[in-house]
Amino acid sequence: MKHFLSAALCAVFLLSFLLLPAQAAGDATTVHAVAVELGVLPAGQSDPSRPVTRGEFSKMLVTASTLKGTVSPAGNASPYKDVPYTHPYASYIKTAVQKGWLSGYLDGAFRPDKTVTAAEAATAVLALLGFSSQDFSGSYPEGQMALYSALGLSDGINAGPADSLTWGDCARLFYNLLDAKTKSGERKYAEALGYKLNKDGKVDIDAMLHTPTEGPVVVPAGGWRGVLPFTPATIYRNDAPADVQALQPWDVIYYSKGKQTVWAYARKITGTLEKVSPGREAPESVTVAGVEYKLGGDGVKAQLGPSGGLTTGSVVTLLLGRDGTAAAAYGADDLNTDMIGVVSAVGTASYMSANGTAYESPTLTLMGIDGQRYTVPSPNKLNTGSLVRVSFTSEGTKITNLTHNSTVGGKVNYGAGRIGQTPIAEGVQILDVSGKTAVKVYPSRLDRVTLTSENVLYSEKNTAGEISALILKDVTGDQYSYGLVLSVQERSEGMDLSGTYRVLVDGQETTYSLSGRLLSAKQGPARIVLKDAQLNGIRSLSELKNVDSISGVTLKAGGETHTIWDNAVAYLYAGQQYRKIDRNELDSARYQIRAYYDAPDSQGGRVRILVAVPK
């Protein structure tokens, strides 16, 4: 029977085949904790009565599925006319619809701010279990609601098909889902997510909620292998998915050996130690540079305790971990907190002295070689774009200009871990600079690129002679924006020069006006150079003729292989208009694919723009 789950027979059939032994209802605290563990409920969500929107529910579905951690929060396409790619749930909506868990409306809208109904939620979680519309007969949603009830998914939820679900309802729904069997009847949904069952065959909630999480631990100078007893399978750095090479010395990490998961945080605060509260005998917080930080862990409490040796009025560095808590504290002479990078801005800021007096100090904002931005007091007058080293000593902040140092050069061999004949250190930090803008890159990004004294601004080696730090000059071009020049209007009358340029970058259209000079730009794909949020340059991209195939980030055209930039944007060109689309929609059977690049891979270039034209 194709439609074996009709509304009339559903309950009877399921009682004999799929209906599970009744699980304990679960108190509100346990349900909340399980929902937080799944990622369905934010840890800070304290109003269970607030209705859940369709956009919020799409994220719940993704985080409670086997796709958890694989969907980037940053959208790269507009899945519906009322869901721009900048919408906070765009990626989740797109994924939920592609998987058949949710659907849009006939008018082409998704209505992400509309509250989700019990019928919509029931249909979605049944889809997670493997059921589809083909499994139901009769009018929607009778069959779905019958199965939803028979499987125990509705336990503790008092909402009719058309009623909106609240955060409390959704927490209960996903709690119930864990103990439901999938369509095949072979296992429970929790098992598909990697959770264990207890001796009674039910989800082991206690093990789920009490999987040991250790930390905070500080990654030592020698790297993460010195503190982790396993090679992590899943890594989050600063709350974003990352890979193992992203873990850096002085990162604060928390880890679960059972889940083989690491959560890493990279943020340092250096300044004057002003106060330890309520006192050194039992410290709970510390005030550094006028800001109070809670202490997270016994280690940092010992460092700031009576035998820790850190005194009020001295310069200290705090390593911040989860929730912005201080995980470790070091004196200026105890930790090498030197930072190198490019000055991206200068300004002033307010600080508090040890005796409680407020004062103003010049500051600089540094784009550090670790990819983070830092604002620090600056006793020196510096220009943006300067390469500097920032050092912290017991006497205060010291800023040193970096001199050109290009002792490193040659072809990058990522597989062999070398640049020319010089080995690359594990965890090497590389910054590619252009003016006052910079981007962090990994050695793999430079594979097969030849570096010369012209494009190596600064390098450092460790005691083993391995390259540990590298600042490059405009090698990859990844720090620029790339888009489409839609129109150019330039006027030249004697010395009177002016231009108007309409550009499309990352799906957003902007018009720039210039006076006193012309860019001599052409329409089409281009590098868009901005300076202080104003258009400063346009450089046309080259087209790759005869695109044969695209597989992942690899593109073949005319017998040559090119790499697609991680942030490359794809557009559909139809009706003389461009519309941003997901790169996964680039079907060569439906579209003629045009690809545009700035330079060959061997010169650091990438395919930056892709355009699909209907055949």
Side-chain angles (χ1 to χ4, degrees):
M1 292 172 57
K2 183 176 181 180
H3 298 296
F4 64 91
L5 296 177
S6 65
L9 299 177
C10 178
V12 175
F13 180 84
L14 288 166
L15 283 171
S16 64
F17 180 64
L18 289 176
L19 186 58
L20 307 172
Q23 66 177 38
D27 59 69
T29 300
T30 300
V31 170
H32 182 278
V34 168
V36 170
E37 160 66 22
L38 289 174
V40 167
L41 198 69
Q45 174 54 256
S46 58
D47 183 4
S49 64
R50 185 169 76 78
V52 172
T53 67
R54 283 165 51 85
E56 291 168 335
F57 193 73
S58 68
K59 182 178 181 180
M60 291 182 179
L61 290 168
V62 172
T63 55
S65 76
T66 55
L67 297 178
K68 181 177 181 178
T70 66
V71 176
S72 171
N76 62 2
S78 301
Y80 285 89
K81 65 181 183 181
D82 59 344
V83 184
Y85 76 96
T86 54
H87 193 282
Y89 300 111
S91 293
Y92 302 110
I93 291 169
K94 176 176 173 291
T95 300
V97 171
Q98 285 182 337
K99 292 295 181 180
W101 304 334
L102 291 173
S103 60
Y105 292 86
L106 294 177
D107 63 356
F110 184 80
R111 299 183 185 129
D113 299 324
K114 185 177 182 291
T115 55
V116 68
T117 66
E120 291 172 327
T123 303
V125 294
L126 289 173
L128 287 178
L129 293 172
F131 296 97
S132 69
S133 60
Q134 300 300 312
D135 295 319
F136 303 93
S137 62
S139 301
Y140 172 84
E142 283 81 2
Q144 287 86 343
M145 296 303 290
L147 179 55
Y148 163 71
S149 177
L151 286 174
L153 295 169
S154 63
D155 290 355
I157 302 172
N158 299 314
D163 294 337
S164 299
L165 292 190
T166 65
W167 282 89
D169 292 333
C170 289
R172 178 72 63 173
L173 172 61
F174 287 99
Y175 175 84
N176 295 337
L177 174 66
L178 291 175
D179 243 339
K181 281 188 176 178
T182 59
K183 178 182 174 180
S184 67
E186 296 177 355
R187 61 178 180 172
K188 293 186 177 181
Y189 186 72
E191 294 177 278
L193 299 181
Y195 296 112
K196 305 297 183 182
L197 304 184
N198 59 26
K199 62 181 180 180
D200 297 322
K202 296 179 181 179
V203 180
D204 193 336
I205 298 297
D206 186 65
M208 175 191 294
L209 299 181
H210 297 93
T211 300
T213 299
E214 300 185 51
V217 176
V218 177
V219 177
W224 59 269
R225 287 187 175 86
V227 291
L228 283 179
F230 61 94
T231 299
T234 305
I235 297 171
Y236 299 92
R237 191 169 190 262
N238 296 332
D239 297 321
D243 55 26
V244 72
Q245 66 177 333
L247 295 178
Q248 301 294 327
W250 313 121
D251 279 3
V252 175
I253 61 174
Y254 306 78
Y255 62 90
S256 166
K257 188 175 181 180
K259 295 180 181 178
Q260 301 234 306
T261 298
V262 171
W263 296 267
Y265 299 87
R267 189 182 173 205
K268 302 185 188 80
I269 297 295
T270 300
T272 302
L273 172 58
E274 299 172 9
K275 185 178 181 183
V276 177
S277 301
R280 290 190 178 274
E281 295 302 323
E284 295 296 331
S285 68
V286 63
T287 301
V288 173
V291 179
E292 185 177 12
Y293 301 91
K294 291 184 178 179
L295 305 183
D298 293 336
V300 68
K301 291 180 181 181
Q303 288 174 311
L304 290 163
S307 59
L310 299 176
T311 59
T312 302
S314 63
V315 175
V316 299
T317 294
L318 301 181
L319 304 184
L320 304 186
R322 184 177 291 165
D323 300 322
T325 57
Y330 299 93
D333 300 324
D334 299 329
L335 176 67
N336 179 13
T337 57
D338 284 9
M339 301 183 293
I340 62 175
V342 58
V343 178
S344 60
V346 294
T348 58
S350 298
Y351 292 90
M352 189 73 67
S353 67
N355 61 12
T357 303
Y359 67 95
E360 294 281 322
S361 173
T363 63
L364 65 80
T365 298
L366 182 80
M367 174 65 174
I369 201 169
D370 60 355
Q372 305 294 315
R373 292 188 182 276
Y374 303 92
T375 298
V376 298
S378 173
N380 305 20
K381 267 195 170 183
L382 294 166
N383 297 321
T384 56
S386 300
L387 299 181
V388 299
R389 178 188 300 276
V390 180
S391 304
F392 299 97
T393 69
S394 55
E395 298 177 356
T397 306
K398 180 181 179 182
I399 311 294
T400 306
N401 283 289
L402 296 178
T403 57
H404 189 85
N405 170 9
S406 57
T407 58
V408 169
K411 190 173 184 178
V412 180
N413 186 329
Y414 173 64
R418 290 180 175 276
I419 299 177
Q421 297 302 313
T422 308
I424 302 171
E426 182 178 353
V428 61
Q429 295 182 322
I430 306 173
L431 199 67
D432 193 10
V433 174
S434 179
K436 64 178 181 180
T437 62
V439 61
K440 179 180 179 178
V441 297
Y442 293 103
S444 57
R445 174 65 180 86
L446 302 172
D447 193 31
R448 295 182 293 151
V449 174
T450 298
L451 302 179
T452 69
S453 59
E454 294 181 358
N455 48 38
V456 176
L457 296 177
Y458 183 80
S459 63
E460 286 185 359
K461 297 178 183 178
N462 59 22
T463 54
E466 301 167 325
I467 302 167
S468 58
L470 199 58
I471 300 180
L472 306 176
K473 180 182 178 182
D474 203 8
V475 171
T476 66
D478 291 353
Q479 58 270 59
Y480 296 109
S481 297
Y482 295 86
L484 297 161
V485 179
L486 302 178
S487 67
V488 176
Q489 294 179 341
E490 296 183 328
R491 187 169 64 90
S492 175
E493 296 182 1
M495 298 297 291
D496 185 12
L497 306 177
S498 63
T500 302
Y501 309 87
R502 189 164 58 95
V503 301
L504 186 67
V505 176
D506 204 21
Q508 296 280 83
E509 184 177 319
T510 307
T511 299
Y512 295 96
S513 296
L514 293 179
S515 60
R517 67 189 186 101
L518 302 177
L519 299 180
S520 301
K522 299 178 180 179
Q523 287 183 239
R527 172 187 289 182
I528 311 297
V529 182
L530 302 178
K531 183 178 181 180
D532 299 326
Q534 297 299 313
L535 186 63
N536 190 54
I538 293 175
R539 174 182 164 185
S540 295
L541 300 178
S542 301
E543 181 177 0
L544 288 170
K545 306 290 186 181
N546 305 317
V547 175
D548 301 315
S549 64
I550 296 177
S551 177
V553 296
T554 300
L555 180 147
K556 293 186 177 180
E560 296 182 348
T561 299
H562 296 263
T563 303
I564 301 173
W565 186 34
D566 289 345
N567 298 325
V569 176
Y571 294 93
L572 174 65
Y573 181 68
Q576 296 185 324
Q577 289 188 328
Y578 290 94
R579 179 174 66 86
K580 183 180 178 182
I581 60 173
D582 191 286
R583 277 163 42 187
N584 293 323
E585 298 178 43
L586 295 172
D587 183 357
S588 58
R590 299 172 55 198
Y591 304 112
Q592 176 191 358
I593 309 300
R594 300 172 181 171
Y596 300 87
Y597 72 116
D598 56 343
D601 286 16
S602 60
Q603 297 176 22
R606 288 291 185 265
V607 173
R608 308 290 183 174
I609 298 289
L610 295 154
V611 177
V613 181
K615 288 185 175 179

